[in-house]
Amino acid sequence: MRKKAFSVIGKPLRKVDAMAKCTGDTRYADDIELPRMLYAKLLRSPYPHARIRSIHTERAAQLEGVSAVITGKDLPEKFGIMPSTQDEEALAVEKVRYVGDPVAAVAASSEALAEQALTLIDVDYEILKPVLSIEEALASKEESERIHSWNRRANIQKAVSFEFGDVVVGFARADEIFEDTFFFQGNTHLPMEQYCAMAQYGPQDKLTLWSSTQTPHYLHRALSKVLGLPMSRIRVIATPVGGGFGGKSDPFSHEICVAKLAMITGRPVKITLTREESFYVHRGRHPVKMWVKTGVKKDGTLQAMHFRSFLDGGGYSSYGLATVYYTGALQTVTYKLPAYKFEGVRLFTNKPPCGPKRGHGTPQPRFALEVQLDKIAEKLGIDPIDLRLKQLVDPNSITVNGLRISTTGLRECIEKVAARADWKKKFHQLPYGRGIGFAASSYISGAGLPIYRNEMPHSGVQIRLDRGGGITVFCGSIDIGQGSDSILAYAVAEEFGIDPADIRVVTADTDLTPVDLGSYSSRVTVMTGNAAIQACGKLKEILLPVAGEALELPVDDLEMAEGQLRSRSYPKRAISFAECVEKAEGKFGTLGATGSYSPPKHPANFKGSGVGPTPSYSYTTSIVELSCDPETADIKLHKIWIAHDCGRAFNPLLVEGQVEGSVYMALGEVLMEEQVFRKSGLHKYPSILEYKSPTTLETPPIETILVETDDPEGPFGAKEAGQGPLLPVIPAVANALYDAIGVRIDEIPITPDKILRALEGRLKSVSVPWFDFPPPIKWQPGDGVGVQQKS
């Protein structure tokens, strides 16, 4: 059976026989020529800020083996993860905004040929003055210095201001007022797996994209918007992710480009970014400058806080709209704070765009807050742990900025970690050069609102029962190494009382699975777990009456356990799960059910209140013991103790792995990692050889303590465990260093050169720029909005 040939870009190919393609039948292999894979590469800007006068691709297109070349005019539609700040282009149209901004894409028969074709593309740039710092962005006034034209105020993406409670009265009540400035340098995710994607455009005018992504649903939406295809004709399959940490949460240029190239050529197209490209794609931790003013009573009780953050956002918006809010939203959910003012601004600079990294927007302010609390404790002559124990948030309470606390195991976390580390015997008692430090933190178990505001569920699950006793669970979530596929299997197995080995989990395929919003904000366990339990509940309403009828028992005497539906009173009186499914299918037909989950509504109603709410907050405490050689400033970590309130641990080993992974990442951030750039806009260290990150040799023993609080909002009481444990480790290291050698380093990373300058009295304090913030939105529980924000 010979199929009619068709041509793409003048190159004859034969369509694969439909039956052979679907079944693998090779009887007609001699008559079938499979479309050969093409390989894509992106041409990137060598300048941080420039206008594109012209692009000429003719020479590249004529190179033998090149199938397609595209530029910004082929993909002019803007996109982005946040609906209100979609300012990215798959390929730059008029302007490039950082070194590495893509301007053209090539598909060729090999990667080497695609690379060669890039050298034949001629781009004429008009070089513009780059903006490379927070201060430069704030000072920008000339039109040529504007990175974007859509925003109202030069290079300011977003400025926010809030006031909760009476801050003026709070500071007036205070006996002592402390002011400090801090800086947290940006850093990147450094996943082992680089960014990669593959696309195929099928004979039915349907596009399939395989990608290493954390958010297949949002990528699905972006592809539809930019390519002009209905979502029903696009299939996104998220492949197992070799490390994400937030860095694969955006829709990206390379994903859109390979999709477009596949549509043009009719052949599968694959792209794998180099390690250097991965550094420029970035979306990592924002560099943030912070100013903190806190008023306390003589006993250390917090009275008021005023917090300002200045974020270096890079060239595009990404998640930045949410990030600026996150730098201020969660200060109130760890300790009681009766009055709080927050002002934040995110700025555009000509550097790779920043985005969400593990702990999204919260490690920076947590570092500042926990270090300042230690300074307050020292001035007042109070043990730092005792200072914190005075003012822990209460369970089932609402904070001054309208965030609902469900359960909190913070007190138990503090007490357990202090006991394990012998805090009282070591703090201020160790010899010079050796010290111990403490910090605490909190984090969300998933965002309370979706990125695109709607009333639809945040997560959906479908369950199918087969007559052999097997179960298939379908969900749109993607496992990025945190074990979310296992969590789905555990939840369903627990509900039905069967072995998890009898469950098959199918995830992250937009053609097969219901929508889940993605693996970010530590949301998957809580949201997919609750959706799965709801779906199981619907099937149990079918199975239990069938078992009751077969066993001649009332339903309220039945339980599902050990692969059976059995009597609670007489466990030997039972029917197997598989037999019950057969009987139920014979009575009702094919068995399946759906479940979905949306977080509870939050009590606050002001503009900006959508960032911070969550079904539940996790709590973590950490103690770090280290030594520092005052001659060389070399730091040696001796041990880390960490206690985490995870609600309830589905699998304690998985939770401990997540906690210890967070500790490892925190150590890199606090001691060595920094994403920094030269005046030319080039990255200083775009390789694993030069970008310093800890290895097992630098990782000390870690003692993990799990505290379970059985949160009513979580599936079987679970909370998050993947991000929160990173937060307290960074300030705990800084506080331990001060206990060891008596100098404060108020900027991250804490490197030997800074320590030596501090010991010599040459380390300058962090400078924070002046900025005219908008009038604050004023709110307190029970009240409406006071001043409407204009910016």
Side-chain angles (χ1 to χ4, degrees):
M1 179 167 59
R2 187 172 293 278
K3 306 304 291 181
K4 183 180 178 181
F6 70 102
S7 64
V8 178
I9 319 293
K11 296 181 173 65
L13 295 171
R14 292 192 180 100
K15 275 192 178 180
V16 179
D17 176 83
M19 183 60 69
K21 186 175 179 181
C22 294
T23 66
D25 189 336
T26 58
R27 287 175 293 173
Y28 309 107
D30 291 341
D31 295 319
I32 296 171
E33 187 177 336
L34 292 169
R36 296 188 306 276
M37 178 80 75
L38 297 175
Y39 299 88
K41 285 292 180 181
L42 298 175
L43 179 66
R44 298 181 180 275
S45 167
Y47 304 111
H49 197 194
R51 287 195 183 93
I52 300 173
R53 291 194 181 113
S54 63
I55 302 180
H56 295 283
T57 63
E58 296 84 1
R59 292 195 301 146
Q62 291 167 8
L63 185 65
E64 186 176 354
V66 171
S67 295
V69 182
I70 57 174
T71 63
K73 65 181 175 58
D74 299 298
L75 294 165
E77 186 72 28
K78 292 183 183 293
F79 71 97
I81 188 65
M82 308 293 285
S84 61
T85 56
Q86 302 207 343
D87 54 8
E88 297 188 56
E89 296 155 342
L91 298 169
V93 177
E94 296 178 349
K95 182 190 270 194
V96 292
R97 296 174 172 88
Y98 66 95
V99 171
D101 213 353
V103 297
V106 172
S109 56
S110 71
E111 281 191 319
L113 194 61
E115 289 274 14
Q116 183 183 348
L118 294 184
T119 67
L120 301 176
I121 298 174
D122 300 308
V123 185
D124 182 16
Y125 294 99
E126 177 192 347
I127 299 173
L128 303 172
K129 180 182 177 181
V131 176
L132 295 171
S133 70
I134 290 171
E135 288 77 9
E136 288 179 8
L138 287 172
S140 299
K141 302 209 185 306
E142 298 295 326
E143 188 62 27
S144 63
E145 295 177 326
R146 285 184 73 101
I147 296 171
H148 291 278
S149 58
W150 61 265
N151 49 318
R152 295 177 184 175
R153 299 171 62 183
N155 288 319
I156 296 162
Q157 186 212 337
K158 184 67 176 178
V160 299
S161 181
F162 300 95
E163 187 171 340
F164 307 102
D166 197 324
V167 175
V168 173
V169 170
F171 279 115
R173 284 198 304 260
D175 297 319
E176 299 277 356
I177 294 176
F178 296 79
E179 287 188 35
D180 292 288
T181 57
F182 300 90
F183 177 59
F184 199 114
Q185 181 59 273
N187 49 68
T188 199
H189 311 85
L190 207 67
M192 292 297 290
E193 176 199 48
Q194 293 139 225
Y195 295 85
C196 50
M198 188 180 82
Q200 184 170 25
Y201 195 62
Q204 297 178 328
D205 295 325
K206 290 189 176 181
L207 172 71
T208 301
L209 180 80
W210 292 263
S211 182
S212 175
T213 177
Q214 295 178 233
T215 53
H217 170 65
Y218 291 124
L219 175 56
H220 195 196
R221 296 181 72 125
L223 288 168
S224 176
K225 182 176 189 285
V226 178
L227 299 175
L229 286 176
M231 290 178 71
S232 59
R233 293 192 181 183
I234 301 172
R235 180 183 187 184
V236 175
I237 301 172
T239 57
V241 176
F245 317 114
K248 297 172 182 175
S249 301
D250 286 75
F252 287 104
S253 166
H254 63 274
E255 295 165 323
I256 296 169
C257 287
V258 290
K260 183 67 174 180
L261 290 167
M263 292 172 67
I264 291 171
T265 64
R267 294 165 66 176
V269 182
K270 179 182 179 181
I271 187 168
T272 303
L273 303 192
T274 65
R275 177 62 64 184
E276 183 174 358
E277 285 181 294
S278 296
F279 274 94
Y280 284 102
V281 170
H282 190 40
R283 312 304 164 114
R285 188 85 71 213
H286 285 70
V288 181
K289 289 193 169 186
M290 295 161 282
W291 172 84
V292 193
K293 177 182 175 182
T294 303
V296 298
K297 287 290 191 182
K298 289 180 180 178
D299 66 355
T301 307
L302 296 171
Q303 299 300 303
M305 180 181 291
H306 186 178
F307 192 98
R308 287 179 180 152
S309 60
F310 300 80
L311 290 75
D312 182 340
Y316 293 98
S317 292
S318 183
Y319 282 83
L321 186 63
T323 313
V324 68
Y325 286 106
Y326 270 125
T327 60
L330 300 189
Q331 269 76 303
T332 62
V333 299
T334 313
Y335 312 111
K336 293 176 185 174
L337 193 56
Y340 176 53
K341 185 174 183 179
F342 166 61
E343 295 168 316
V345 58
R346 185 181 190 265
L347 303 147
F348 288 124
T349 59
N350 291 119
K351 293 186 285 191
C354 299
K357 187 186 175 189
R358 203 171 196 164
H360 189 191
T362 63
Q364 301 97 319
R366 181 55 53 182
F367 164 67
L369 176 59
E370 293 295 317
V371 170
Q372 190 185 60
L373 285 175
D374 261 39
K375 293 181 180 183
I376 292 170
E378 182 181 41
K379 178 71 181 294
L380 299 178
I382 302 172
D383 183 288
I385 286 182
D386 293 339
L387 178 81
R388 290 163 170 87
L389 286 170
K390 288 176 182 290
Q391 45 213 335
L392 306 182
V393 292
D394 295 320
N396 303 311
S397 63
I398 293 178
T399 68
V400 70
N401 59 334
L403 301 177
R404 180 186 286 115
I405 310 293
S406 53
T407 58
T408 167
L410 182 53
R411 182 174 297 276
E412 189 177 351
C413 285
I414 292 174
E415 291 171 348
K416 285 193 171 184
V417 80
R420 296 282 185 92
D422 280 334
W423 171 265
K424 292 292 185 183
K425 293 180 181 179
K426 293 179 180 178
F427 181 62
H428 283 348
Q429 305 299 316
L430 298 173
Y432 180 76
R434 187 163 182 140
I436 192 167
F438 170 86
S441 68
S442 52
Y443 195 63
I444 59 174
S445 298
L449 291 174
I451 292 173
Y452 288 78
R453 296 289 183 96
N454 59 66
E455 297 302 317
M456 291 183 284
H458 291 214
S459 186
V461 167
Q462 292 176 329
I463 296 178
R464 178 181 64 83
L465 306 185
D466 69 56
R467 59 189 66 174
I471 297 176
T472 306
V473 182
F474 300 88
C475 182
S477 61
I478 172 65
D479 197 318
I480 59 171
Q482 83 279 42
S484 61
D485 285 3
S486 298
I487 293 298
L488 281 168
Y490 297 155
V492 173
E494 183 73 17
E495 283 292 298
F496 288 133
I498 63 172
D499 192 321
D502 293 326
I503 298 171
R504 183 180 298 276
V505 177
V506 178
T507 59
D509 183 329
T510 59
D511 263 15
L512 302 180
T513 60
V515 168
D516 176 81
L517 298 184
S519 290
Y520 63 93
S521 295
S522 280
R523 56 177 298 284
V524 179
T525 292
V526 169
M527 300 199 184
T528 64
N530 278 323
I533 289 171
Q534 186 185 91
C536 290
K538 294 176 181 178
L539 288 166
K540 288 164 79 171
E541 290 178 359
I542 296 172
L543 296 174
L544 287 168
V546 169
E549 183 179 331
L551 298 171
E552 298 182 344
L553 291 170
V555 168
D556 58 9
D557 185 43
L558 293 177
E559 65 177 4
M560 304 177 86
E562 298 180 341
Q564 299 177 324
L565 287 85
R566 67 190 186 192
S567 168
R568 296 178 191 272
S569 307
Y570 306 99
K572 290 184 179 180
R573 196 168 177 182
I575 183 175
S576 72
F577 180 80
E579 186 180 352
C580 184
V581 169
E582 282 187 12
K583 290 180 179 295
E585 186 174 341
K587 187 172 184 178
F588 298 106
T590 302
L591 298 177
T594 62
S596 57
Y597 177 76
S598 294
K601 300 292 183 183
H602 60 284
N605 58 359
F606 55 88
K607 183 180 179 182
S609 62
V611 174
T614 182
S616 59
Y617 296 94
S618 70
Y619 291 90
T620 315
T621 59
S622 179
I623 289 178
V624 172
E625 186 172 345
L626 57 76
S627 59
C628 179
D629 184 335
E631 297 297 323
T632 64
D634 181 58
I635 290 177
K636 179 176 175 57
L637 298 162
H638 297 292
K639 189 168 182 179
I640 294 177
W641 295 264
I642 187 157
H644 181 64
D645 165 21
C646 62
R648 187 178 182 189
F650 270 55
N651 180 328
L653 190 62
L654 274 181
V655 176
E656 288 177 15
Q658 287 295 295
V659 170
E660 291 168 14
S662 289
V663 171
Y664 163 82
M665 186 166 279
L667 295 179
E669 295 196 30
V670 68
L671 294 176
M672 60 190 76
E673 294 188 37
E674 49 185 343
Q675 173 103 337
V676 290
F677 299 85
R678 304 180 191 279
K679 291 181 180 179
S680 62
L682 288 169
H683 198 298
K684 280 190 175 181
Y685 317 115
S687 77
I688 293 181
L689 288 175
E690 298 170 293
Y691 181 91
K692 302 303 180 186
S693 182
T695 68
T696 54
L697 296 177
E698 290 83 36
T699 305
I702 302 169
E703 184 173 340
T704 302
I705 306 157
L706 300 185
V707 171
E708 295 189 310
T709 50
D710 282 347
D711 193 88
E713 297 294 340
F716 306 109
K719 297 182 186 181
E720 77 88 32
Q723 300 189 57
L726 178 145
L727 304 180
V729 178
I730 296 170
V733 169
N735 290 334
L737 179 67
Y738 180 75
D739 188 49
I741 58 174
V743 295
R744 287 280 179 197
I745 311 295
D746 290 340
E747 54 183 289
I748 298 298
I750 298 172
T751 51
D753 62 305
K754 294 173 187 172
I755 295 171
L756 291 174
R757 291 204 305 272
L759 287 168
E760 296 167 0
R762 297 187 297 109
L763 185 66
K764 295 180 180 179
S765 61
V766 175
S767 64
V768 172
W770 179 87
F771 179 69
D772 184 18
F773 286 95
I777 291 175
K778 296 185 177 182
W779 188 91
Q780 59 185 10
D783 286 353
V785 174
V787 178
Q788 293 294 327
Q789 190 161 344
K790 297 177 182 178
S791 177

